[in-house]
Amino acid sequence: MTDPDDPGPEGGRAVAGRLIYDPSFATVSEEEFNELVALMRDGARRKPPTPGALWRRAYHEAMFNLRLVGVQHDLFGAKSTTHMHKAKPGPVSDWKPEPVEEKLSRFALDHSATFGIGRPDLSEDEKAAVISGAANWLRLGQRVRIVGSFASYDGRADRRVGRKGVIWRLCSPVFADRTYVYLDPVGAERAEKIAQVELRDIAPIEDALLVPVPFSA
């Protein structure tokens, strides 16, 4: 029930603060009642951020501040303008659209093929070899360079070859042959670019890390 002497608004935390336990018609114990009221008042308990999450937050903030020139405020109250340094241009790609003749011949061999361009998947033995070979360097914060890619119909994946980045997040054991890479910005890029990349397409490099990893990943 609620305390009748409290005229607070009907809803949210105010209601939770007015609830009192009445054993005459309660269907749960007082301990359970208090837990439910705490959920209404404070919401579900959030897990504390992991060391990896804290590092990702710090790395993204450092990357933003590295490129930030300043913020120009409008004298008439309009939205402020954020000025950023322009990054170095990205690697030059020699990607070209797939010729129509090759596309049609590929369709003739595989009637279930789509207009996308794929490449053969690795066998289980080949995947195991790639995962085993990456065990020495695959860790959060490792600097890497993209050295290969599957072929894409618009060239987006192909243009990533040559770009550098950092291991951002490891994949689950189901996708152990892949990982997430936070790409260094190129050109006028402002938004972060995080790509899932196959381990066979990246190689470790020894560039200095912008934000050191303060834990063993």
Side-chain angles (χ1 to χ4, degrees), residues 177-196:
D177 61 323
R178 302 168 184 266
T179 188
Y180 288 96
V181 177
Y182 184 113
L183 299 173
D184 294 348
V186 295
E189 286 183 352
R190 290 196 176 192
E192 62 183 21
K193 297 294 188 298
I194 301 174
Q196 188 185 70

Side-chain angles (χ1 to χ4, degrees), residues 7 21-22 27 44 80 89 91 97 100-101 103 108 110 126 128 133 148 167 175 177 184 186 197 206 217:
Y21 184 73
D22 189 341
T27 58
S80 300
V100 176
E101 294 78 9
K103 190 188 301 290
D110 183 5
E126 290 172 330
I167 299 296
F175 300 101
D177 61 323
D184 294 348
V186 295
V197 186
E206 298 300 326

Side-chain angles (χ1 to χ4, degrees), residues 29-90:
S29 65
E30 186 172 4
E31 182 180 1
E32 291 177 299
F33 172 82
N34 291 332
E35 291 181 1
L36 293 172
V37 171
L39 286 174
M40 290 181 61
R41 182 182 64 247
D42 305 325
R45 294 180 181 179
R46 295 184 179 181
K47 294 182 179 180
T50 63
L54 293 174
W55 174 81
R56 281 187 286 270
R57 185 183 304 169
Y59 189 92
H60 180 62
E61 183 177 355
M63 183 67 75
F64 177 82
N65 292 332
L66 182 66
R67 300 190 58 213
L68 179 65
V69 176
V71 180
Q72 180 180 355
H73 300 285
D74 191 273
L75 297 177
F76 301 99
K79 185 177 180 180
S80 300
T81 303
T82 301
H83 297 280
M84 309 287 286
H85 289 290
K86 191 173 182 179
K88 294 180 180 180

Side-chain angles (χ1 to χ4, degrees), residues 109-143:
L109 297 175
D110 183 5
H111 295 291
S112 64
T114 64
F115 282 89
I117 306 173
R119 63 176 173 179
D121 292 332
L122 297 177
S123 66
E124 293 302 321
D125 291 339
E126 290 172 330
K127 285 184 180 180
V130 170
I131 295 170
S132 176
N136 293 328
W137 55 264
L138 183 59
R139 61 183 179 274
L140 206 62
Q142 171 65 48
R143 293 283 295 166

